[in-house]
Amino acid sequence: MAVVGYTYAHDNLCPSCTIGRMRANGIKVARSSKQDEAIRRAAERVGVDYSDERSYDSSDFPKTITSQQTRTELTELPDAERGEIEDEKCDRCGKWMKLGEKSPTEAGLTRWARDDYELPQALAREIARKLREWGLSHPKFITEDNVRQAAAMFPHDYATVHLSGDASLGLMPAPEYDEDPCFYCEQPYEKHTFVCETCGTNVPADIKHSHQVPVKGQLKFRTINK
């Protein structure tokens, strides 16, 4: 089992941050590319039996975290769902211990969602913000279902994929068949809403409305009498 981090001084830390904390606490650690070995040698110098973690407390000297021990529980998922990521962030620098890198910024996650799922920029931004709220801050841990579920929570252009006259695929602004799913959220047309620019009301796509309004991403304009 690979050592990916350490529990030390009430924090779970990546190897680099562990060594930094040890030095700050007055424990000499040699510079080495093999960080676990450097920590082992430091244990010998201070009289800690590193091979028996039950013999010392993690507040005094680091205890190892292996790749099989890293877990991050997700408790903010919608509909009271519970989830788990098989990795854990360093409490000091925010790097994922097994993955070996930090999560992208919100702007970076927005770009990823936009490019990987061919989303409009504004919708990708909302999705990225929501995914981070759920604890899904790195693309490695995000599924397509997560993205579609987040997309369904925000008003956006309805679009569906159909063959055009020249047999190429294209995004269409209105459904061709019943229950035609939206390309962005996989919900039917009827699940979408638009904002009436006359009265400011959020109007479901399948509800009649008296004003002539631009329908967001669905029909360019429509006039329906109540």
Side-chain angles (χ1 to χ4, degrees):
M1 292 181 291
V3 174
V4 296
Y6 298 85
T7 298
Y8 179 48
H10 310 294
D11 284 326
N12 291 328
L13 305 169
C14 69
S16 294
C17 289
T18 300
I19 291 173
R21 180 73 59 83
M22 292 170 69
R23 289 170 176 158
N25 289 345
I27 300 175
K28 185 177 180 180
V29 186
R31 295 187 180 279
S32 172
S33 59
K34 298 180 179 180
Q35 295 170 315
D36 185 54
E37 184 59 34
I39 292 174
R40 287 178 181 275
R41 292 198 298 270
E44 294 175 1
R45 284 193 291 271
V46 297
V48 168
D49 185 355
Y50 189 69
S51 63
D52 182 9
E53 292 190 344
R54 293 173 298 180
S55 67
Y56 65 92
D57 193 275
S58 62
S59 60
D60 300 319
F61 200 85
K63 294 188 177 186
T64 59
I65 299 173
T66 67
S67 57
Q68 291 186 339
Q69 293 173 318
T70 53
R71 293 288 186 276
T72 299
E73 186 179 9
L74 302 178
T75 58
E76 301 299 325
L77 296 175
D79 302 323
E81 293 179 27
R82 302 187 75 84
E84 189 176 75
I85 294 173
E86 293 185 359
D87 205 339
E88 188 171 354
K89 284 183 181 180
C90 172
D91 290 330
R92 184 170 182 270
C93 72
K95 181 187 292 184
W96 291 96
M97 294 183 188
K98 286 173 62 175
L99 194 60
E101 62 185 47
K102 296 180 182 180
S103 292
T105 63
E106 186 173 306
L109 195 62
T110 295
R111 287 192 296 272
W112 168 80
R114 180 196 65 197
D115 296 342
D116 272 41
Y117 291 91
E118 300 180 74
L119 298 167
Q121 175 73 15
L123 179 59
R125 186 184 304 114
E126 296 289 1
I127 289 172
R129 188 175 298 122
K130 182 57 65 175
L131 290 171
R132 286 163 63 92
E133 286 178 12
W134 292 347
L136 297 168
S137 61
H138 196 287
K140 181 72 173 180
F141 312 125
I142 298 170
T143 67
E144 181 174 345
D145 285 345
N146 297 141
V147 175
R148 304 303 181 194
Q149 188 175 31
M153 302 177 75
F154 300 98
H156 59 271
D157 294 350
Y158 173 89
T160 188
V161 178
H162 289 299
L163 283 172
S164 62
D166 60 358
S168 62
L169 289 174
L171 290 179
M172 309 295 290
E176 184 173 337
Y177 307 104
D178 290 343
E179 302 299 316
D180 225 355
C182 174
F183 176 75
Y184 304 126
C185 68
E186 297 187 341
Q187 296 294 312
Y189 173 85
E190 292 77 11
K191 295 289 185 181
H192 291 69
T193 62
F194 63 90
V195 178
C196 174
E197 292 187 354
T198 302
C199 63
T201 304
N202 288 316
V203 184
D206 59 347
I207 299 297
K208 292 182 178 180
H209 192 64
S210 60
H211 299 128
Q212 184 181 40
V213 295
V215 181
K216 186 173 176 57
Q218 294 154 13
L219 307 175
K220 182 62 178 175
F221 286 92
R222 70 176 182 181
T223 302
I224 298 177
N225 295 321
K226 291 182 178 178

